[in-house]
Amino acid sequence: MEPLEHNPLTSPVDIMKLDHGTFDVTETYRAFLREDREMTMPVAAIETLVVLLSKTEPATASELIDILAKAVTELKEGVQNSISLSAGCDLFQRFVLRNIQEYGDWEACKRELVKNGGLFLKRAKASRYKIAELGLPFIQDDDTILIHSHSRAVTELLLLAARRRVRFRVYVTESRPTFEGTASAKILRQHGIPVRLIVDGAVGWAIQKVDKIFVGAEGVAESGGIINRIGTYQIAVLAKNSNKPFYVVVESHKFVRLYPLAPFDLPGESTSSDVFTVEPIEEGPQSSPTLDFTSDNLITALITDIGVLTSSGVSEELIKMWYDF
């Protein structure tokens, strides 16, 4: 199935105007993230679209599809780093299309869409805990683990292992330029897990000391490769060269219909943005890329809520999601 054609909203009083006033899709999305710091971007996007679905009263299926398409476009254009958000939006649109095809009566279809949309969202939120259960056998007593940046799915897996009395220790990278690794280190220490925070450049030094690597992902491409925080690719290369298993812990609602071959193929990434100067400038996070792409041949397995998958398994699951009626 080809993606829907998206057209940006033309005015504040466009089709998004509801009985209770204009529905601000982007602000609603951001409000969900502010209220729940543990909510992922795709789940926040799905929750926003479920609210939109419950508040709109389209007369036809075609009008509903148009409303969703415009809302998704507004979200993607209004949010920086929209890769994982796009995965959630695309998946929910597919869910709506499938439900529309199953009902001949439009009124019954609308009621079921709102009801099933809530169930769909509930399953998406619960996926992290299912992943932790499936990933638990991969952590053994006396393991030394390396993690990169901050992933809620990875953190939940490690916390579950600690609650189950598995004894292990963790190297955590700082993950510059965002320093998100410091958040992971803080959470793990608060739960009694021994942690050593290291600079990103020390991964080569630490790699021989670790037994396995766990990382999260902003998105999983059709090839089974992953889009994640900058530095993930070089860790995967070191792990491959050192014969260390490299596991990706990720929710299936982050499977995205992209097929990048290199980091420059990612949305928002371009060689034209590289700036070289001979004069001193103020360096900061904006001068460094924040995402990279790790190819499937560097990944040992993906631990997801729908099972432990190989890279080829990702392609099969995407086919089921999008083309299996």
Side-chain angles (χ1 to χ4, degrees), residues 104-156:
D105 176 29
W106 173 234
E107 290 301 321
C109 179
K110 286 194 291 185
R111 290 193 299 271
E112 289 300 316
L113 275 174
V114 174
K115 176 184 174 183
N116 292 340
L119 293 173
F120 182 88
L121 179 61
K122 187 177 180 180
R123 286 197 297 268
K125 287 181 174 180
S127 61
R128 199 181 305 159
Y129 308 107
K130 187 173 181 180
I131 291 170
E133 289 288 350
L134 290 171
L136 188 60
F138 290 86
I139 302 178
Q140 305 294 324
D141 272 334
D142 206 35
D143 269 350
T144 300
I145 296 167
L146 172 68
I147 68 172
H148 179 57
S149 188
H150 179 61
S151 161
R152 297 174 182 87
V154 171
T155 300
E156 185 60 37

Side-chain angles (χ1 to χ4, degrees), residues 38 40 127-129 131-132 150-159 215-217 248-251 254 303:
E38 291 301 304
T40 60
S127 61
R128 199 181 305 159
Y129 308 107
I131 291 170
H150 179 61
S151 161
R152 297 174 182 87
V154 171
T155 300
E156 185 60 37
L157 170 58
L158 297 178
L159 294 182
V215 300
V248 179
V249 186
V250 62
E251 302 93 331
K254 289 186 177 180
I303 304 171

Side-chain angles (χ1 to χ4, degrees), residues 1 71 108 116 158 187 252 293 307 318:
M1 180 181 298
N116 292 340
L158 297 178
I187 293 170
S252 62
F293 176 69
L318 274 168

